[in-house]
Amino acid sequence: MKKMRVGVIGCGNISDIYLTNLQRFEHLELAGCADLFRERSQAKAEKHGLSKVYEVEELLSDPTVDIIVNLTIPAVHAEVNRRALLAEKHVYVEKPFAVHTADGLAVLELAREKGLRVGCAPDTFLGAGIQTSIGLIAGGAIGVPVAATAFMLCGGHESWHPDPEFYYKEGGGPMLDMGPYYLTALVAMLGPISRISGSARVSFPERTITSTAKSGQKIHVEVPTHLAGTIDFVQGAVGTIIMSFDVPGGQHLPRIEIYGSEGTLTVPDPNTFGGVVELRRKGEKEFIPVELTHDYAENSRGLGVADMAQAIMDDRPHRASGELACHVLEAMHAFAESSVSGRHVVLKSECPLPEPMPQA
């Protein structure tokens, strides 16, 4: 079997699940990993049985590596993507696609010039929960989609993350951190977004780290930490969304619900691959669980890399595409932009709808 060789840049908190899962796909070969701090990449290589620890430039220049998986911090996502493309590598990056939409668009243009692929997390929408939901909507289970809600409320990441400062700097905040999961899922189910309105605030300008490693250290907050808004989809549905790092959480708020002319669909947490899908049809009083129709119900981060690699070999579009991620990136920025301007923000980007995954 033909294999595509993958190298990972960035050995932080998220890298463990990638380094585990990438070794489970038969058409991928994990070449090794790199990090600015060699002790981190060395530790990950030992933990996951990798034979090669690279310096970053060494990995980028290795002619045997086909795909770079970019797991660096958001502030350098676009630059590492650019360097990978200039090194003639396909690249798949953790969310968000970039800090600024213009940087994301520049990466897409460079990829087109080079004839290379760019993919981006989240790939959770390729999992069993959301793929089952996509199938139900496409099959008419709720009739014509009319509206959607999406809620993510928590107290922030400084209570558990060992290095949480970047969540409150440029490129962070609840929208750029968690928004990709919710907006990507919504676009995959309901299609592209036409315009957005929003309100945003910084509720607490200073945060205190309580996780063990840096307990007691202060963080100066530079980005909105509570955002609310409405989403107009090209195909007509209207969405309502709240993203917050400022509250303990909601008691009964759904992660995502889709409301149609003939029923309502409760969609699982888009930060997971599986979960419970529930459907209440018109005239029914109760929500009924729906059997999942697809594979990948467990934590399958890296599935988007595997799909992109297979798509390259099959000469077909990959699903977790840079175009989708850049559309979501523009949308995420639009909430704060609307809050400042007091106006709707009309999105300029477009994206093709990803093909549904094959059923189990």
Side-chain angles (χ1 to χ4, degrees), residues 48 111 115 334:
H48 295 280

Side-chain angles (χ1 to χ4, degrees), residues 97-171:
F97 190 52
V99 172
H100 302 292
T101 305
D103 292 335
L105 291 170
V107 166
L108 291 182
E109 181 58 31
L110 179 59
R112 282 191 286 267
E113 292 174 3
K114 291 285 189 179
L116 295 166
R117 301 290 188 103
V118 179
C120 184
D123 52 6
T124 46
F125 77 97
L126 302 179
I130 293 171
Q131 286 295 310
T132 298
S133 302
I134 290 171
L136 288 166
I137 295 169
I142 63 168
V144 177
V146 173
T149 55
F151 300 105
M152 194 298 299
L153 297 94
C154 72
H157 296 344
E158 63 270 27
S159 64
W160 63 270
H161 196 283
D163 197 26
E165 292 97 327
F166 74 91
Y167 287 111
Y168 299 97
K169 306 300 181 182
E170 188 177 39

